[in-house]
Amino acid sequence: MDAYDKGSGARQGQDGSAGPDGGADSPETGGAAEPTEPAGSAAAAEGAAGASGAAGATAEEAAGPGPAQEDPVQPPAPRTGVAALSPRYQVGAVVALAVVAVAVCAHIGLVFLHVAPSNTLTKQHGSVVDEWVFPEFEQNWKLFAPNPLQQNVSVQVRAEVSTAGGEIRTTGWYDLSAEDGRAIDGNPLPSHTQQNELRRAWDFFVASHDSDDRPVGVRGTLSETYLRRIALLRLDRDGAAGPGGVVERVQYRSRTTNVEPPPWSGEKVSDRPTVRELPWWSVSPETRGAKAGQAERDGGAA
């Protein structure tokens, strides 16, 4: 028998035929052929691995589930605001908020009744509303009125002065409105006093006096005292009394002139001013108070 004859144990190529030299095909020329595992040994290995896995699973099932992993305990979030207070202070805060809410609602209601048209509540409780609103919370709606103010009102004052020689003289008229106008004109930030003190004081007087310049109620008397004090302060600032002089009485007057309407309106108004002259008011008590207050201010400044 020839040694190179094909035998039953000879390795076959991919197509089942031997190579040209009768040997088995190899991946590389002249390379030795890799031995193959018998099919029986591979099946035995797989069976052993399956048996080992089954045994491991049976052992885990017998052991039971392991202990569950617990989440870490989170610290409680810190309390803020009212919740951070003790119960006693929480009750106090709630009571304070309730009182403030009631006060705000009452204030809004009284102001609403003040600006609202006349009704049953204002007729029955008008005095209570006025006592609360005046003078701090007074509302002025002239800007939004159907007929806004179309007049220029100039307020003037003069004084009777007791001179150092014992004589009585009367000063000329000081135009207080013109003084405020000069202080405001060209000033980008005029003071509230320059803009409103004299104007509101005069409106206060007119609204609380009748056509004969008699005060109506306590507010009328208060408005006179307020105007006296303004006159004393303005006259003292202008040096009306002179050296050693004392202001004994003051007198106010107003000069009202209609604002000329635009040419296209066709409206005709009178261009003659209306003068309202008030009686003389004694200011001796107010003078002493003003001098005392000025002395205190001078002493504090020193």
Side-chain angles (χ1 to χ4, degrees), residues 49-65:
S52 175
T58 304
E60 291 181 359
E61 291 177 358

PDB file of all heavy atoms in Angstrom, residues 49-65:
ATOM      1  N   ALA A  49     -20.959  22.202  32.028  1.00  0.00           N
ATOM      2  CA  ALA A  49     -21.220  23.607  32.358  1.00  0.00           C
ATOM      3  C   ALA A  49     -22.665  23.806  32.747  1.00  0.00           C
ATOM      4  O   ALA A  49     -22.983  24.532  33.682  1.00  0.00           O
ATOM      5  CB  ALA A  49     -20.863  24.494  31.155  1.00  0.00           C
ATOM      6  N   GLY A  50     -23.599  23.148  32.017  1.00  0.00           N
ATOM      7  CA  GLY A  50     -25.016  23.271  32.369  1.00  0.00           C
ATOM      8  C   GLY A  50     -25.288  22.699  33.725  1.00  0.00           C
ATOM      9  O   GLY A  50     -26.051  23.239  34.508  1.00  0.00           O
ATOM     10  N   ALA A  51     -24.685  21.586  34.035  1.00  0.00           N
ATOM     11  CA  ALA A  51     -24.896  20.988  35.350  1.00  0.00           C
ATOM     12  C   ALA A  51     -24.362  21.877  36.442  1.00  0.00           C
ATOM     13  O   ALA A  51     -24.960  22.040  37.505  1.00  0.00           O
ATOM     14  CB  ALA A  51     -24.222  19.616  35.396  1.00  0.00           C
ATOM     15  N   SER A  52     -23.186  22.522  36.186  1.00  0.00           N
ATOM     16  CA  SER A  52     -22.622  23.427  37.198  1.00  0.00           C
ATOM     17  C   SER A  52     -23.519  24.637  37.424  1.00  0.00           C
ATOM     18  O   SER A  52     -23.758  25.072  38.546  1.00  0.00           O
ATOM     19  CB  SER A  52     -21.229  23.871  36.745  1.00  0.00           C
ATOM     20  OG  SER A  52     -20.706  24.829  37.638  1.00  0.00           O
ATOM     21  N   GLY A  53     -24.088  25.245  36.289  1.00  0.00           N
ATOM     22  CA  GLY A  53     -24.989  26.390  36.433  1.00  0.00           C
ATOM     23  C   GLY A  53     -26.235  26.021  37.178  1.00  0.00           C
ATOM     24  O   GLY A  53     -26.740  26.770  38.006  1.00  0.00           O
ATOM     25  N   ALA A  54     -26.808  24.834  36.874  1.00  0.00           N
ATOM     26  CA  ALA A  54     -28.017  24.400  37.565  1.00  0.00           C
ATOM     27  C   ALA A  54     -27.750  24.209  39.028  1.00  0.00           C
ATOM     28  O   ALA A  54     -28.562  24.547  39.894  1.00  0.00           O
ATOM     29  CB  ALA A  54     -28.533  23.103  36.927  1.00  0.00           C
ATOM     30  N   ALA A  55     -26.574  23.673  39.325  1.00  0.00           N
ATOM     31  CA  ALA A  55     -26.234  23.466  40.732  1.00  0.00           C
ATOM     32  C   ALA A  55     -26.107  24.798  41.445  1.00  0.00           C
ATOM     33  O   ALA A  55     -26.533  24.979  42.583  1.00  0.00           O
ATOM     34  CB  ALA A  55     -24.939  22.671  40.841  1.00  0.00           C
ATOM     35  N   GLY A  56     -25.492  25.811  40.756  1.00  0.00           N
ATOM     36  CA  GLY A  56     -25.355  27.125  41.385  1.00  0.00           C
ATOM     37  C   GLY A  56     -26.692  27.768  41.612  1.00  0.00           C
ATOM     38  O   GLY A  56     -26.951  28.380  42.652  1.00  0.00           O
ATOM     39  N   ALA A  57     -27.610  27.653  40.634  1.00  0.00           N
ATOM     40  CA  ALA A  57     -28.947  28.234  40.792  1.00  0.00           C
ATOM     41  C   ALA A  57     -29.682  27.570  41.923  1.00  0.00           C
ATOM     42  O   ALA A  57     -30.374  28.216  42.709  1.00  0.00           O
ATOM     43  CB  ALA A  57     -29.720  28.102  39.471  1.00  0.00           C
ATOM     44  N   THR A  58     -29.551  26.215  42.023  1.00  0.00           N
ATOM     45  CA  THR A  58     -30.235  25.501  43.111  1.00  0.00           C
ATOM     46  C   THR A  58     -29.702  25.946  44.462  1.00  0.00           C
ATOM     47  O   THR A  58     -30.440  26.116  45.429  1.00  0.00           O
ATOM     48  CB  THR A  58     -30.045  23.994  42.929  1.00  0.00           C
ATOM     49  OG1 THR A  58     -30.506  23.636  41.640  1.00  0.00           O
ATOM     50  CG2 THR A  58     -30.802  23.238  43.992  1.00  0.00           C
ATOM     51  N   ALA A  59     -28.397  26.208  44.540  1.00  0.00           N
ATOM     52  CA  ALA A  59     -27.807  26.652  45.805  1.00  0.00           C
ATOM     53  C   ALA A  59     -28.310  28.037  46.191  1.00  0.00           C
ATOM     54  O   ALA A  59     -28.610  28.325  47.342  1.00  0.00           O
ATOM     55  CB  ALA A  59     -26.280  26.642  45.688  1.00  0.00           C
ATOM     56  N   GLU A  60     -28.439  28.958  45.194  1.00  0.00           N
ATOM     57  CA  GLU A  60     -28.941  30.312  45.485  1.00  0.00           C
ATOM     58  C   GLU A  60     -30.385  30.273  45.932  1.00  0.00           C
ATOM     59  O   GLU A  60     -30.797  30.995  46.846  1.00  0.00           O
ATOM     60  CB  GLU A  60     -28.789  31.191  44.250  1.00  0.00           C
ATOM     61  CG  GLU A  60     -27.331  31.512  43.915  1.00  0.00           C
ATOM     62  CD  GLU A  60     -27.242  32.389  42.703  1.00  0.00           C
ATOM     63  OE1 GLU A  60     -28.311  32.716  42.144  1.00  0.00           O
ATOM     64  OE2 GLU A  60     -26.116  32.776  42.302  1.00  0.00           O
ATOM     65  N   GLU A  61     -31.233  29.428  45.249  1.00  0.00           N
ATOM     66  CA  GLU A  61     -32.630  29.324  45.651  1.00  0.00           C
ATOM     67  C   GLU A  61     -32.748  28.767  47.058  1.00  0.00           C
ATOM     68  O   GLU A  61     -33.597  29.188  47.842  1.00  0.00           O
ATOM     69  CB  GLU A  61     -33.374  28.429  44.666  1.00  0.00           C
ATOM     70  CG  GLU A  61     -33.514  29.074  43.296  1.00  0.00           C
ATOM     71  CD  GLU A  61     -34.199  28.112  42.329  1.00  0.00           C
ATOM     72  OE1 GLU A  61     -34.492  26.987  42.764  1.00  0.00           O
ATOM     73  OE2 GLU A  61     -34.426  28.501  41.170  1.00  0.00           O
ATOM     74  N   ALA A  62     -31.878  27.792  47.379  1.00  0.00           N
ATOM     75  CA  ALA A  62     -31.928  27.218  48.724  1.00  0.00           C
ATOM     76  C   ALA A  62     -31.506  28.229  49.779  1.00  0.00           C
ATOM     77  O   ALA A  62     -32.030  28.286  50.884  1.00  0.00           O
ATOM     78  CB  ALA A  62     -31.026  25.983  48.793  1.00  0.00           C
ATOM     79  N   ALA A  63     -30.520  29.081  49.409  1.00  0.00           N
ATOM     80  CA  ALA A  63     -30.058  30.070  50.383  1.00  0.00           C
ATOM     81  C   ALA A  63     -31.080  31.168  50.605  1.00  0.00           C
ATOM     82  O   ALA A  63     -31.109  31.815  51.648  1.00  0.00           O
ATOM     83  CB  ALA A  63     -28.735  30.681  49.916  1.00  0.00           C
ATOM     84  N   GLY A  64     -31.978  31.402  49.599  1.00  0.00           N
ATOM     85  CA  GLY A  64     -33.000  32.453  49.735  1.00  0.00           C
ATOM     86  C   GLY A  64     -32.439  33.801  49.333  1.00  0.00           C
ATOM     87  O   GLY A  64     -31.235  33.980  49.152  1.00  0.00           O
ATOM     88  N   PRO A  65     -33.317  34.805  49.218  1.00  0.00           N
ATOM     89  CA  PRO A  65     -32.855  36.149  48.803  1.00  0.00           C
ATOM     90  C   PRO A  65     -31.989  36.781  49.873  1.00  0.00           C
ATOM     91  O   PRO A  65     -32.217  36.629  51.070  1.00  0.00           O
ATOM     92  CB  PRO A  65     -34.165  36.925  48.604  1.00  0.00           C
ATOM     93  CG  PRO A  65     -35.163  36.207  49.458  1.00  0.00           C
ATOM     94  CD  PRO A  65     -34.763  34.768  49.438  1.00  0.00           C
TER      95      PRO A  65
END
